[in-house]
Amino acid sequence: MCTVTATPAVADVGGGGAKPTIVLVHGAFADGSSWNGVIERLERRGYRVMAPANPLRGLYSDSAYIASVLKSVKGPIVLAGHSYGGAVISTAAAGNPQVKSLVYVSALMPDVGESGMSLSARFPSALGTATTSVPYRTDGTSGTDLYLKPGKVHPVFAACLSAGQASLLAVTQRPAATTTFSEKAKVAAWKSIPSWALVGRQDMTINPDQERFEAKRAHSHTVEINTCHVSLIARPDAVANLILQAATATATTTAAADPDRPALATTATSRPDTKAITLGGIAVASLGGIAAASLVAGAAVVLLGRRLSRHTH
């Protein structure tokens, strides 16, 4: 049910506290192996690491599953999410006092009432033309999966990797149900848990301006690096270093004047505030990224509905 990578018993952190377990949640079109380079580096530093399989069936069910994984962990947790995995950890961590830090790697960070689709409408990306929709059917349920078009994986998803690596990602990709992007967040754990964020300047899957906006809004400790969307594969050192910052943060980082909100660090970037684009009046053709992909998938459901019973998933 989940991929677990662990080390033997770890040493204590300075000050007498136990090292946290680091839980890594992958995003859409990927699996836990996308964290391999990061896992190796964290384990060398003596951390226990888990990379559970994100089901990619819908924000509510995926976050409930990851929340159940977190309950099996003893002691403090640093929870990291890549891409759509960011939305999942924002919900899964809510109400869990063991989660001490959140790390967002080129990720979605929706606020309450937002979805991946609504955020993409405000900050369009190339993802809107990079996916194809395929109806699926299981025992008693049906829906629509989004896949990356093979020819779009390299330029949109993994431009900082070699063509051969991108081709392998295309072949092994795991589809994400449209509900992963359309379901609206009911909670936002980054409002009460200190967070760290990595922005990929060459990200074509999630608009870098969206990543900056989200991080600034959450008062995340933020770093920007030159990388594409799959920064965890292309730049595992940088990603691991950011996670280590979250893991080694002192207790004073989470001290708060307001008991309902920790004193979180401000963003480290010097870019101006990102202004939201008004949604009202936006034509369907002008929507980008996840929003466009989800709308196209919805149309596909209607057109292909009659053939659903003959589809083999």
Side-chain angles (χ1 to χ4, degrees):
M1 292 292 289
C2 64
T3 301
V4 180
T5 307
T7 59
V10 295
D12 286 346
V13 179
K19 277 188 174 181
T21 296
I22 299 174
V23 180
L24 308 172
V25 180
H26 66 82
F29 318 118
D31 59 28
S33 68
S34 58
W35 291 103
N36 283 354
V38 176
I39 292 170
E40 292 171 0
R41 288 159 176 78
L42 296 176
E43 287 189 330
R44 285 202 296 264
R45 296 293 295 270
Y47 286 90
R48 178 174 183 259
V49 185
M50 300 176 64
N54 185 355
L56 304 180
R57 297 297 85 196
L59 178 59
Y60 304 149
S61 61
D62 293 347
S63 57
Y65 174 74
I66 295 300
S68 70
V69 172
L70 299 179
K71 289 180 180 178
S72 72
V73 179
K74 305 295 183 183
I77 298 169
V78 171
L79 184 58
H82 172 246
S83 193
Y84 163 68
V88 173
I89 68 171
S90 292
T91 297
N96 187 335
Q98 290 176 253
V99 180
K100 306 302 182 183
S101 305
L102 298 170
V103 184
Y104 294 92
V105 180
S106 304
L108 296 178
M109 300 173 64
D111 199 350
V112 175
E114 291 179 341
S115 64
M117 183 176 175
S118 66
L119 282 167
S120 177
R122 299 170 70 180
F123 301 95
S125 75
L127 184 63
T129 60
T131 62
T132 186
S133 57
V134 177
Y136 72 83
R137 191 175 193 176
T138 61
D139 185 20
T141 62
S142 61
T144 302
D145 271 336
L146 293 177
Y147 287 84
L148 290 171
K149 297 175 183 177
K152 294 290 187 177
V153 173
H154 196 203
V156 175
F157 192 68
C160 49
L161 302 182
S162 68
Q165 288 174 298
S167 178
L168 183 60
L169 291 178
V171 171
T172 60
Q173 67 174 293
R174 290 183 56 215
T178 55
T179 46
T180 59
F181 303 124
S182 63
E183 291 180 343
K184 297 179 179 179
K186 297 179 180 179
V187 292
W190 47 260
K191 291 186 175 183
S192 59
I193 301 174
S195 60
W196 281 252
L198 184 144
V199 175
R201 295 191 183 103
Q202 286 82 45
D203 197 334
M204 298 292 288
T205 298
I206 297 178
N207 190 324
D209 283 337
Q210 177 181 326
E211 296 171 13
R212 295 180 185 113
F213 165 77
E214 295 169 334
K216 187 174 183 64
R217 176 173 66 178
H219 303 287
S220 303
H221 302 257
T222 306
V223 297
E224 292 197 6
I225 63 174
N226 293 321
T227 186
C228 64
H229 187 63
V230 290
S231 51
L232 69 174
I233 300 174
R235 299 288 302 277
D237 283 327
V239 173
N241 286 340
L242 186 65
I243 294 172
L244 287 169
Q245 288 181 32
T248 57
T250 62
T252 56
T253 304
T254 58
D258 178 353
D260 295 324
R261 182 175 176 83
L264 308 181
T266 56
T267 178
T269 62
S270 59
R271 297 182 179 275
D273 293 351
T274 303
K275 295 183 180 180
I277 300 171
T278 303
L279 289 175
I282 293 181
V284 171
S286 69
L287 295 178
I290 293 168
S294 297
L295 287 173
V296 170
V301 172
V302 175
L303 294 173
L304 298 174
R306 293 179 180 177
R307 289 176 291 183
L308 183 58
S309 62
R310 298 197 301 272
H311 174 70
T312 300
H313 178 60

